[in-house]
Amino acid sequence: MTNLKCTVESCIHNCPGRCCKPEIKVEGPMACDCEQTCCASFENKSAGGAMNSRGYNTPNEALQVACAAENCVYNHSGECSADSISITPCSCSTPDCKSATECASFRMK
């Protein structure tokens, strides 16, 4: 299990600094830096209604993180092996909601 810090306040699963889902997935199979990753579990609050309507309302200290970022040193057979990671708002500006996030802990192999 990975300790996850999430500062993406626009996500329906965010509960001040933590994620309320039991697991998330980080995308970015060909990523070479953080900006090329994203949290595939991100759901925009404005598009999805109230947080508790999704059934996840308890922040998790540690959770399962599936990882599709094949170039990341923490990716071990599709699972994140880092003790802790940080999901942050993406520093690039694209209209794609998933691109509004990034795994700030991504490190190139």
Side-chain angles (χ1 to χ4, degrees):
M1 301 278 253
T2 300
N3 182 347
L4 177 101
K5 180 179 179 187
C6 180
T7 57
V8 184
E9 294 178 7
S10 62
C11 182
I12 198 168
H13 305 297
N14 186 291
C15 191
R18 299 284 179 202
C19 185
C20 290
K21 288 190 67 135
E23 74 280 324
I24 67 163
K25 182 173 185 179
V26 173
E27 289 286 350
M30 304 309 285
C32 293
D33 62 36
C34 296
E35 289 182 353
Q36 295 173 338
T37 65
C38 69
C39 178
S41 304
F42 171 83
E43 289 184 68
N44 196 314
K45 279 183 184 175
S46 63
M51 182 169 52
N52 61 7
S53 70
R54 295 285 190 235
Y56 309 113
N57 55 12
T58 304
N60 292 307
E61 291 294 317
L63 51 111
Q64 291 295 120
V65 178
C67 182
E70 296 171 10
N71 296 327
C72 183
V73 298
Y74 301 117
N75 183 330
H76 290 274
S77 301
E79 296 291 325
C80 181
S81 66
D83 290 334
S84 63
I85 65 169
S86 182
I87 302 295
T88 61
C90 189
S91 52
C92 61
S93 56
T94 63
D96 178 8
C97 288
K98 298 281 189 235
S99 294
T101 66
E102 68 185 30
C103 179
S105 304
F106 173 89
R107 297 295 175 264
M108 186 78 167
K109 286 183 182 177

